Amino acid sequence: STKRKRKPEKQPVEYPSGPIESSAEERELLLAWFRLLARCRGAWLQHLWINDRSIDGRATVTHAELAGILADQDSLEAETEWAQSQEPIRHWLAEANELKRQLDEVENSRFARLARVLALSPEELDLLKLAAAVALDSSLSRVCAYLQDHSGRMYLTEDLAARLLRLNGQANWSPEMNVFRWELIQRRETGVGEPLALLCDPHIKEWLEGSSS
C-alpha cells in the first residue's frame, strides 16, 4: 500500500527581535492601503448593483444578478477596464500603490523581517498584510462582509484577497505556502459550502502592534 506522507511537525515561531519604533507607522500605512483597495473594489460593486437596481446588495438572487453572473460581468478584466475610465478610481489605485511602496520601505519593517526569517514570497507577504489589516482594525471585518455581499462573511477569503490585490486568473493560495505552514494565517472552516476564512494569527497581530517582542 502507498505510504501516507507525514505532515511536517509545526515548530514554534521565534519572532524576529529588534526595536519597535516603526510599528505605529507601519500599522497606519497598512490600514490606509487596505482601505484604498477596499474603496476601489466597493466602487466597482456599487456600479454593478446600480445597473441591476440593487444598490444595497442582494438579499436574494434576482433576474438581473443571474444575467450578470452568466455574462461574467464581475470579471477582473471588466473591473480593470471600468476603473481605467474613472478618474477617482485611478487616483485611489495610484495612492494605494504609493502607500504600498512606503510600506515596503519602512525601516526595520516587521513584515520584511518575517519574510526574511520565514522565507515568505511577495505574494504570501501581501496576503499576510491583508489578513493583518482586518485583525488590527475590527471595523474592516464589516468591510469584508460588504465586499462579499454576505453579512456572515466578516473575514478575509481567498477570493476577496485576489480581487483586492487585482490578481490575474485564479490566485494559487496553496496550503503548502509558508504563510500557512507556519500558521501566520489560519485557514478556518466556517460552514458547509462556505469559503475558508483567512485569519491572522493573534500572536502575529500582537507582535505587529509592538505589544510583544
Side-chain angles (χ1 to χ4, degrees):
S1 60
T2 303
K3 292 184 178 180
R4 296 183 61 184
K5 187 176 181 180
R6 292 184 61 185
K7 183 179 179 181
E9 294 184 5
K10 182 187 174 186
Q11 300 295 325
V13 179
E14 295 184 4
Y15 304 127
S17 60
I20 63 174
E21 290 79 9
S22 67
S23 60
E25 177 189 2
E26 198 166 13
R27 181 182 188 277
E28 292 309 309
L29 287 171
L30 173 67
L31 295 179
W33 175 64
F34 185 102
R35 291 179 184 126
L36 278 169
L37 296 180
R39 181 178 293 181
C40 294
R41 176 65 177 157
W44 166 245
L45 291 175
Q46 290 167 12
H47 167 73
L48 294 179
W49 294 338
I50 287 173
N51 286 345
D52 67 20
R53 300 180 182 179
S54 57
I55 186 59
D56 292 326
R58 301 154 172 155
T60 60
V61 179
T62 64
H63 297 301
E65 182 185 3
L66 173 63
I69 292 172
L70 296 179
D72 197 22
Q73 290 180 351
D74 187 22
S75 66
L76 179 58
E77 292 75 14
E79 181 179 355
T80 300
E81 182 178 356
W82 176 82
Q84 291 174 348
S85 68
Q86 305 296 314
E87 193 278 332
I89 308 300
R90 294 199 306 271
H91 174 75
W92 294 341
L93 288 173
E95 189 176 351
N97 288 335
E98 174 60 20
L99 287 172
K100 178 67 161 47
R101 184 191 65 78
Q102 294 180 29
L103 183 60
D104 291 341
E105 294 180 357
V106 170
E107 185 176 359
N108 201 30
S109 164
R110 295 202 157 205
F111 284 110
R113 288 151 64 192
L114 278 175
R116 184 172 61 252
V117 171
L118 301 178
L120 304 181
S121 68
E123 293 76 17
E124 290 175 279
L125 199 56
D126 284 344
L127 187 62
L128 178 59
K129 288 173 181 176
L130 293 180
V134 178
L136 291 168
D137 184 349
S138 59
S139 69
L140 294 182
S141 63
R142 292 181 60 82
V143 174
C144 289
Y146 180 87
L147 296 180
Q148 296 176 93
D149 195 18
H150 194 302
S151 61
R153 294 181 188 166
M154 299 179 67
Y155 45 80
L156 186 70
T157 63
E158 294 181 1
D159 285 344
L160 177 57
R163 293 309 295 260
L164 289 175
L165 296 172
R166 308 177 74 82
L167 298 179
N168 288 319
Q170 190 69 22
N172 183 25
W173 308 120
S174 168
E176 299 303 315
M177 294 168 66
N178 285 341
V179 74
F180 297 130
R181 292 180 68 249
W182 288 108
E183 296 188 5
L184 306 180
I185 296 178
Q186 300 171 1
R187 305 168 87 237
R188 185 169 300 173
E189 294 184 359
T190 58
V192 177
E194 284 295 301
L196 294 175
L198 303 183
L199 307 177
C200 180
D201 177 79
H203 298 294
I204 288 293
K205 170 184 175 290
E206 292 178 1
W207 183 73
L208 289 172
E209 288 181 313
S211 55
S212 63
S213 58

